Amino acid sequence: MTFTQTNTNPVPEYRDEHLSIDFENGVVKVDSATATFTRKQYELLRMLVEHAGQVIPRETLLQNVWGYSTEIRTRTLDVHLSHLRKKLAPYGDRYIERVFRVGCRFQPGREVARSAVQ
Amino acid sequence: MTFTQTNTNPVPEYRDEHLSIDFENGVVKVDSATATFTRKQYELLRMLVEHAGQVIPRETLLQNVWGYSTEIRTRTLDVHLSHLRKKLAPYGDRYIERVFRVGCRFQPGREVARSAVQ
DNA sequence: GGATGGAGTAAAGAAGTTGTAAAACCGCCG
DNA sequence: CGGCGGTTTTACAACTTCTTTACTCCATCC
C-alpha cells in the first residue's frame, strides 16, 4: 500500500540538478548517490514534492501521512522533517523550508534537461 | 502498480559482472563458478531477477512462488531469501535488498558489454 | 530586552520485522 | 524401513522504524 497512488499530482518522477526521485520504484538520489528512506520519511517527502512550491500546513501533513486528526499535538512530524533534511544533505535546508507557525514547503531546484538522463 | 512496466518481461538470460543466469537451461554462475539451487530457490531468484529494480511485496512472492493466499503468516520466504543470499555470496546482500515491511528488490549489477560477444 | 511559545535534533525507549541456525517435517527411492 | 534432500517451522538475536522526551535555539510580540 506504500506505493499506491493517493495524491493530487501523480507525476512519475521529480528531477532537478541535485535531487531525483523515481516515484515508480521509490528510488531517491542526491547528487546521483542513492539515499534510502523509511516509509514514513518517503511518504512525507513525496507529499512535499508533489506539492512543490506550496505551503503545506502541519495539520495537513499529519492527516495525510499519519492519519492523525487535527487535534493531536506531537513532535513526530518535526523529527521526521529533521531526518529528511539530514538525508537530503547538504541541500536539506534549501529544499525543505519552514513556514513559521504554519508548516513547510518544498522549494524545488532548477529543472534539469531531461536529455541528460543516463 | 509495482508491476506496471520496466522489467516485467522474461528475458532468456541475466548477466552482469558477477552473476549470470541462463534461464533457458537453469544455470546460474557467480563469478563464473556454477551455483546450484533447489527448485523453490530458483523460482524465487527468477522472480526477483525478472523484476530487477522493482520492489516486490512479500505477498506477491508468496503467491507466485508458493501459491499461498495473502493471509498466511510464515517465515519460509525469509529463510529462502537467506539461502539465496548465501549462495550468491559474497554479493548476496548487494543483490537482494530488503524493503522494510514490504518485501524485497533485486538490485542488478553493472551490465556487461554484450556487444563484443556478438 | 525579556517573555512566550514554536521548531531543530540527539538520544532513549517501545514495538515490530528480519536474519538465520537448527530442528522438525515430508515425500521419494533403494 | 531408513536414509536423503528439500522445505517449513521454531526460536532467538539483531536490527529498523517510529515515537517520545528533553533540551536548545529561534521568532515574534510587548
Side-chain angles (χ1 to χ4, degrees), chain B residues 98-117:
Chain B
R98 161 183 62 196
V99 180
F100 196 81
R101 263 166 73 66
V102 179
C104 55
R105 164 163 47 191
F106 180 83
Q107 205 61 271
R110 207 173 302 279
E111 202 167 336
V112 134
R114 301 278 319 286
S115 51
V117 181

Side-chain angles (χ1 to χ4, degrees), chain B residues 32-47:
Chain B
S32 61
T34 302
T36 65
F37 291 83
T38 69
R39 182 167 218 82
K40 281 263 158 61
Q41 286 167 6
Y42 182 74
E43 289 302 306
L44 182 53
L45 178 60
R46 186 171 65 183
M47 182 95 194

Side-chain angles (χ1 to χ4, degrees), chain A residues 75-95:
Chain A
R75 304 300 315 281
T76 304
L77 173 57
D78 302 286
V79 174
H80 275 264
L81 284 172
S82 176
H83 292 335
L84 229 51
R85 289 202 179 92
K86 193 182 283 183
K87 288 191 178 176
L88 295 180
Y91 315 107
D93 295 328
R94 179 145 109 214
Y95 282 123

